[in-house]
Amino acid sequence: MISLEVNHLSKIYSGETKAIDDVSFKVEPGEGVMLLGHNGSGKSTLFRCITGFEKPTSGSILLNDTDITRLSRSKLRPVRKKVGMVFQNFNLTNNLSVFQNVLFGALGHTKTSFQTFAPFASDALREQAMACLDRVGLAHLARRRADQLSGGQQQRVAIARMLMQEPEIVLADEPIASLDPKAGREVMDLLWEIVSERGLAVICILHQMDVIMEYGDRVIALKDGSLILDEGAGALDRPTLESLYQKDVQLTDRRVS
Ligand SMILES: Nc1ncnc2c1ncn2[C@@H]1O[C@H](COP(=O)(O)OP(=O)(O)OP(=O)(O)O)[C@@H](O)[C@H]1O
Ligand SMILES: [Mg+2]
């Protein structure tokens, strides 16, 4: 399992928007970190830098001891497969089966993408995909088309696909934003169970205060690209978290002692 260290990271888009401004923090294996911040504060950009899809303007990102900002495309590929992603809109291939979607999680592990297509996949890979589906409680829906599931079920399939990838750290970008409260809780419970049984670090972008306080070990917050908070969740209360979304917040005055 890997640790993540972000050092003095900045990202300026096309010479003007400073999406991330000198951000530093470290996440250890097994930590559950909530990432907060208003729209446009740089959260998704930070995730895209960690997955290597965006090149930062300056700073470093260490996954264990490898600075991924300095890797060539080909060297980035094996590192990228260690980072599991969960998205708000699930990112499933809608017209394919649930089983096929989970098999695609193995893409970083096979020599060719061909080997992740159901008719050509090895028995071992197929068994693994079924085990991942079983872990999220959806083995009985393996043959169903992905777009014929409820939102909560689709997100569980996305988690099964992420498991198939065998990640060593997980980034979740608003994983329950498209779900009703009940389905959202079920997805959070499942995600948290899975990361804790595997000892994975997870960083989760969320806006729901009660969910943040219930599940997070630690909270970090961005405002206009800058890190304005990095605290254990136990040291925070709801008004403090809500104040992160106000203008001109003076966090140092609002911390619980
Ligand atoms: N590809 C891009 N090119 C130029 N500017 C971008 C690009 N992506 C994001 N930005 C800008 O960078 C800033 C941070 O955007 P980002 O998407 O990281 O915010 P966010 O915190 O994820 O917001 P949200 O909560 O709405 O998802 C915003 O000002 C946005 O307009
Ligand atoms: Mg975003």
Side-chain angles (χ1 to χ4, degrees):
M1 298 313 110
I2 47 179
S3 61
L4 165 72
E5 192 174 335
V6 173
N7 292 311
H8 299 291
L9 194 78
S10 292
K11 171 68 186 178
I12 305 171
Y13 284 113
S14 56
E16 43 173 325
T17 312
K18 204 163 197 182
I20 301 184
D21 188 2
D22 195 22
V23 164
S24 301
F25 64 93
K26 194 168 179 199
V27 181
E28 300 291 349
E31 265 193 299
V33 179
M34 296 297 183
L35 172 57
L36 279 72
H38 55 72
N39 295 134
S41 57
K43 306 178 298 295
S44 296
T45 301
L46 176 63
F47 274 13
R48 286 200 299 276
C49 289
I50 296 169
T51 49
F53 284 103
E54 204 79 72
K55 262 252 176 294
T57 310
S58 58
S60 62
I61 300 171
L62 304 179
L63 282 175
N64 278 351
D65 294 324
T66 309
D67 182 357
I68 64 146
T69 64
R70 287 168 202 286
L71 295 179
S72 63
R73 242 166 204 269
S74 58
K75 293 221 169 96
L76 195 56
R77 199 169 166 256
V79 178
R80 206 177 257 173
K81 78 175 185 210
K82 296 180 187 205
V83 184
M85 289 287 302
V86 182
F87 302 93
Q88 172 179 351
N89 56 3
F90 325 126
N91 281 16
L92 299 178
T93 308
N94 283 327
N95 61 349
L96 296 179
S97 72
V98 162
F99 180 65
Q100 179 59 69
N101 271 277
V102 176
L103 266 177
F104 282 149
L107 264 173
H109 297 279
T110 54
K111 283 211 177 80
T112 65
S113 55
F114 180 74
Q115 290 162 293
T116 63
F117 281 92
F120 314 109
S122 67
D123 287 347
L125 223 50
R126 296 170 63 89
E127 271 169 36
Q128 191 185 347
M130 278 314 291
C132 292
L133 263 178
D134 195 39
R135 177 63 191 84
V136 304
L138 293 180
H140 62 294
L141 296 179
R143 289 165 173 272
R144 180 93 61 92
R145 259 176 68 134
D147 57 3
Q148 290 168 358
L149 300 181
S150 71
Q153 289 170 333
Q154 289 189 46
Q155 193 61 297
R156 282 153 67 193
V157 173
I159 291 172
R161 180 184 58 188
M162 186 264 288
L163 271 179
M164 189 72 191
Q165 188 187 331
E166 300 177 340
E168 297 191 37
I169 185 169
V170 174
L171 308 180
D173 195 342
E174 304 195 33
I176 60 170
S178 307
L179 307 178
D180 68 39
K182 183 166 175 285
R185 291 250 158 201
E186 285 168 7
V187 162
M188 282 305 291
D189 283 341
L190 178 67
L191 185 60
W192 246 241
E193 271 169 36
I194 282 175
V195 295
S196 68
E197 73 196 18
R198 276 150 223 252
L200 304 174
V202 55
I203 308 179
C204 187
I205 299 175
L206 277 185
H207 296 295
Q208 297 86 339
M209 297 302 153
D210 47 341
V211 183
I212 290 165
M213 299 209 41
E214 186 178 333
Y215 292 85
D217 300 324
R218 187 171 144 205
V219 178
I220 59 180
L222 290 177
K223 187 177 190 218
D224 301 332
S226 297
L227 195 79
I228 57 164
L229 178 90
D230 184 348
E231 286 269 1
L236 294 164
D237 60 11
R238 201 184 169 105
T240 307
L241 292 179
E242 279 166 356
S243 73
L244 296 168
Y245 289 87
Q246 291 160 9
K247 282 198 166 154
D248 308 322
V249 51
Q250 297 291 322
L251 266 177
T252 41
D253 302 337
R254 305 210 51 162
R255 276 184 203 163
V256 180
S257 54

